[in-house]
Amino acid sequence: MKCVSWNVNGIRAVLKKDFIEILYALDADIFCIQETKAQEDQIEIDCELYPYQYKYSAQRKGYSGTMILCKEKPLSIKYGIHNEVHDTEGRVIALEFESFYVITVYTPNSGDGLKRLDYRMEWDQAFSQYLDSFDKPILLCGDLNVANEEIDIKNPKTNRRNAGFTDEERDSFKKNILIHLKDSYRTLYPDKVEYSWWSYRFKAREKNAGWRIDYWLVSDELMDKVKDSKILTDIYGSDHCPVELDIEI
């Protein structure tokens, strides 16, 4: 099974580029999308590969939002993390299949000046409790807005107190998320240097001055079924590139 996750930074914008062609080219069984930045009635993806499409938009227009496209109909669909404080921004969709769940998440960014860091810490704890509630193994993907280790960011020293690379966020990621799941890419490739996000400023992508903040995380019992975990750096259209999980399940 092939699964792909991509923060498109605006679904309406990427649909004006080569998004449909990319969907056909990748031909994933499950395609997860973050940061749709659109209301549900503003999103129309005409792709015959995916008869099943699930959207979850933020209450605030033009902000956040997630989506999952899949070839097979899931057994159930869950929107949000069942927490009124955190379920206004369309950040989480979970699909249940026979032997596993696929969850896509767009984790809150701590923001300029770390003005949302406290909220981010609260989110991580609530999301950890949410992950604890599942009764089947999990494939979790998305923009988790944290570079876990120094190898996951081009300039670790100068970014130490920037959103996505604070000690608080990295510690929280380990304690609240990696306690449940394994980082498939880093498990397979402990020393490989690749990034999934680049700032639009300073020709960052051209210089490959990036961050690895997009993940496929899997339950421990599924890690031996993972055949590959890839960062698709040759695909453009967003400030993120897609990440792929190939798994026998």
Side-chain angles (χ1 to χ4, degrees):
M1 184 174 75
K2 179 194 283 191
C3 303
V4 170
S5 172
W6 194 9
N7 179 324
V8 296
N9 194 9
I11 189 68
R12 289 171 291 178
V14 83
L15 278 166
K16 295 175 183 176
K17 301 175 185 177
D18 298 320
F19 185 66
I20 299 299
E21 289 81 358
I22 290 168
L23 288 180
Y24 280 108
L26 292 177
D27 194 22
D29 296 284
I30 298 171
F31 201 108
C32 299
I33 300 166
Q34 303 88 44
E35 209 170 358
T36 56
K37 291 184 173 180
Q39 300 306 113
E40 293 169 17
D41 62 359
Q42 296 175 311
I43 303 171
E44 184 175 348
I45 296 180
D46 184 12
C47 180
E48 63 185 12
L49 289 176
Y50 301 111
Y52 305 103
Q53 303 186 11
Y54 305 96
K55 312 165 191 175
Y56 189 36
S57 298
Q59 292 178 12
R60 174 180 162 191
K61 292 183 177 180
Y63 180 73
S64 188
T66 48
M67 186 172 185
I68 303 182
L69 316 175
C70 50
K71 295 179 178 180
E72 179 185 334
K73 186 177 181 179
L75 300 177
S76 70
I77 307 101
K78 303 176 190 294
Y79 298 98
I81 63 173
H82 318 302
N83 186 312
E84 291 182 2
V85 175
H86 301 296
D87 282 343
T88 64
E89 297 181 349
R91 292 187 177 275
V92 179
I93 305 173
L95 301 187
E96 179 186 8
F97 294 94
E98 185 175 351
S99 60
F100 62 96
Y101 282 89
V102 170
I103 304 171
T104 193
V105 59
Y106 176 42
T107 301
N109 191 300
S110 292
D112 293 338
L114 303 178
K115 60 187 177 185
R116 249 192 151 191
L117 180 59
D118 289 344
Y119 175 73
R120 166 62 181 271
M121 296 297 98
E122 293 171 8
W123 165 275
D124 283 356
Q125 292 178 27
F127 191 63
S128 182
Q129 292 172 4
Y130 167 76
L131 294 177
D132 245 345
S133 70
F134 287 89
D135 57 358
K136 296 178 183 179
I138 292 168
L139 306 177
L140 170 68
C141 71
D143 175 0
L144 276 75
N145 262 316
V146 63
N148 185 36
E149 302 291 356
E150 290 194 354
I151 192 175
D152 297 316
I153 184 171
K154 179 69 172 182
N155 298 303
K157 289 183 173 57
T158 56
N159 281 293
R160 188 70 180 275
R161 288 306 296 166
N162 285 343
F165 199 63
T166 64
D167 292 345
E168 294 94 327
E169 289 163 304
R170 295 166 64 202
D171 289 345
S172 178
F173 183 60
K174 293 176 177 70
K175 292 175 183 175
N176 290 300
I177 311 303
L178 294 185
I179 192 174
H180 299 285
L181 304 165
K182 286 192 175 295
D183 178 350
S184 64
Y185 178 87
R186 192 54 72 207
T187 301
L188 293 178
Y189 303 110
D191 303 314
K192 196 170 184 178
V193 176
E194 287 185 302
Y195 307 119
S196 66
W197 174 80
W198 304 261
S199 170
Y200 279 134
R201 297 180 296 173
F202 312 122
K203 298 184 178 179
R205 192 158 186 174
E206 183 180 320
K207 299 174 182 176
N208 199 28
W211 302 43
R212 188 177 74 94
I213 58 176
D214 301 270
Y215 297 82
W216 275 102
L217 308 178
V218 305
S219 295
D220 286 1
E221 60 264 46
L222 295 181
M223 191 61 221
D224 63 351
K225 298 181 183 297
V226 174
K227 299 306 171 186
D228 207 352
S229 188
K230 305 174 184 176
I231 302 177
L232 306 179
T233 56
D234 58 339
I235 294 179
Y236 288 75
S238 168
D239 51 349
H240 296 250
C241 72
V243 292
E244 177 182 326
L245 181 76
D246 300 326
I247 185 169
E248 287 187 2
I249 194 171

